[in-house]
Amino acid sequence: MQINLLQDTEVATLNELVAASQRIVICGHKSPDGDALGSCLGWAEYLRSLGKNPFICVPDAYPDFLKWLPCSERIVRYDKHPDVVSEAFDKADLVFCLDFNSSDRIDEMKDCLLSTKAKVVVFDHHLNPVFPNADLLVSFPTCSSTCELVFRIVWQLGGFESMNRKWAVPVYCGMMTDTGGFTYNSTNPDIYFIISQLLTKGIDKDKIYRNVFNTYSPWAIRFRGYVMCQKLNVIDELHASYYSVTKEEMERFHFIKGDLEGLVNEPLRISGHKLSISLREDVEKENLVLVSLRSYDDFPCNKVAAEFFNGGGHLNASGGKLFCNIQEAEQIARKAIQAYADMLR
C-alpha cells in the first residue's frame, strides 16, 4: 500500500517551513464544505502536536451540520471578523491554503492572501491549480479529497501515531462528504486502508454519518420534497435533469445553509440517469446563481461546468456560478444538456 505522496525534497521543504514559523494561518474556501473544514481542522491538529498554534479562517458561513466538528469553534469567519483575519494574514510567516485551487475561491478574503508576505503552502485535489507564487504546491487531483491528502501527508511525516480522535474525526468527515458517503470518486483501494487506520483512533463512523446527513429540520425535509416534486425537470431521452430554487422559495421554507446539501445527487437515483444540475439563487447577491453538477460513470460534468457555468471540479462532482437571473440560468442548463446530448443518450 503506497500512502506517501511527497518527494523527499518536498518533505524537507514542508518540515523546514513549519519549523521556522510561529504565526501560521490555515484557510479554506468560500462556502466551506466538509472537506474544507475537515482538512483545515485536521491539519491544525497536527500542527498543534508540533507545538504550533495555527489560526484557522474561512471566508463565510458553513452549514450547521458541521458545527459539531472538534475545534470548529476556533474557526474565524472573514465576513464576521475581517479585521481579525486581515491582521492574521499580515502577521503570518506561513499560510496554508487547503481545498481550493485558486485565490478566486476565497472571494473577499483573496486580498489578504495576495498581500501577505508569508510563505504559502497549498494542499488541494482540484484540477488546474493556479498558485504561481506558492512556496510548496501539493496538488493531487486523483485523490478523493483534501482530507485524504492531509492523512497521507501526516502519515508520511511520521505524525500518525501521535494523532488522536480529535484529528481523525474531521479527516474522516471530509473524506466521507467529498465522496457522497463513498459513493463516487472513491474506487482507490488506498481509501479503505486509510479508513481502517482512522478507525483505530476510536472514531464512530456511523455517528459521523448521522451528524452530517441526518440533521435536517422538518422545514428542510419539506423543502427537499417540494423541490423534487415541483421543480425537477427530467429530460428522459437524454438521461439528465435540472432544478432551480429561488430566494422566495428559500424564504417560504425557512431555508438555512445546508438544507439542500446533497440534493443534487437525488435525481441520479433515476434508472439510467447520467447528469443532474442544481441551480440556486444566492440569498445575498442579485443575479447570482450557484450551480452544482453531479454525474455517473465517465460523463464529465466538470467539462460542462467549465463550458457553461464558469466553474469546474471533478469528473462526477463539479460546481460553478452564473451572473444572471434564475430564468436565464434555466435556459443555460437546458442548452448545456442539449450540447452534450450525444454523450447523454
Side-chain angles (χ1 to χ4, degrees), residues 117-190:
K117 295 179 175 61
K119 302 289 187 180
V120 174
V121 176
V122 178
F123 296 165
D124 187 46
H125 73 126
H126 296 93
L127 295 169
N128 306 316
V130 183
F131 280 96
N133 298 322
D135 296 273
L136 178 61
L137 175 61
V138 180
S139 174
F140 286 89
T142 56
C143 283
S144 67
S145 56
T146 301
C147 277
E148 180 186 337
L149 278 178
V150 167
F151 178 95
R152 289 174 179 268
I153 293 168
V154 170
W155 180 281
Q156 187 169 359
L157 296 178
F160 176 76
E161 292 302 325
S162 64
M163 293 296 95
N164 56 22
R165 179 183 170 277
K166 197 159 55 173
W167 170 81
V169 166
V171 170
Y172 178 85
C173 181
M175 291 179 64
M176 179 191 72
T177 54
D178 236 34
T179 58
F182 304 102
T183 60
Y184 53 81
N185 198 30
S186 54
T187 57
N188 186 341
D190 292 355

Side-chain angles (χ1 to χ4, degrees), residues 158-260:
F160 176 76
E161 292 302 325
S162 64
M163 293 296 95
N164 56 22
R165 179 183 170 277
K166 197 159 55 173
W167 170 81
V169 166
V171 170
Y172 178 85
C173 181
M175 291 179 64
M176 179 191 72
T177 54
D178 236 34
T179 58
F182 304 102
T183 60
Y184 53 81
N185 198 30
S186 54
T187 57
N188 186 341
D190 292 355
I191 292 172
Y192 301 93
F193 172 77
I194 291 171
I195 292 171
S196 73
Q197 296 305 301
L198 290 171
L199 288 170
T200 68
K201 299 299 183 180
I203 69 172
D204 185 339
K205 71 176 185 62
D206 299 334
K207 185 176 182 179
I208 293 172
Y209 182 94
R210 293 195 303 272
N211 284 349
V212 172
F213 294 114
N214 297 350
T215 59
Y216 295 116
S217 69
W219 277 110
I221 294 296
R222 294 186 181 99
F223 195 11
R224 296 168 74 89
Y226 164 79
V227 173
M228 288 294 96
C229 180
Q230 301 294 325
K231 302 302 297 289
L232 183 64
N233 297 277
V234 179
I235 305 172
D236 290 314
E237 65 275 15
L238 296 183
H239 309 104
S241 62
Y242 69 92
Y243 63 83
S244 65
V245 178
T246 67
K247 283 186 282 190
E248 183 276 329
E249 289 166 330
M250 286 185 273
E251 183 177 351
R252 192 194 328 161
F253 284 91
H254 306 280
F255 174 84
I256 61 172
K257 198 160 192 173
D259 278 356
L260 297 181

Side-chain angles (χ1 to χ4, degrees), residues 277-280 289-294 305 308-309 318-322 329:
I277 301 175
S278 162
L279 308 168
R280 179 170 66 83
V289 177
L290 307 177
V291 185
S292 293
L293 304 93
R294 297 292 185 271
F308 288 93
F309 301 109
S318 301
K321 60 181 67 173
L322 292 171

Side-chain angles (χ1 to χ4, degrees), residues 97-109:
C97 301
L98 270 57
D99 199 38
F100 59 96
N101 60 354
S102 166
S103 58
D104 291 337
R105 292 289 310 281
I106 56 175
D107 279 15
E108 292 85 357
M109 208 164 72

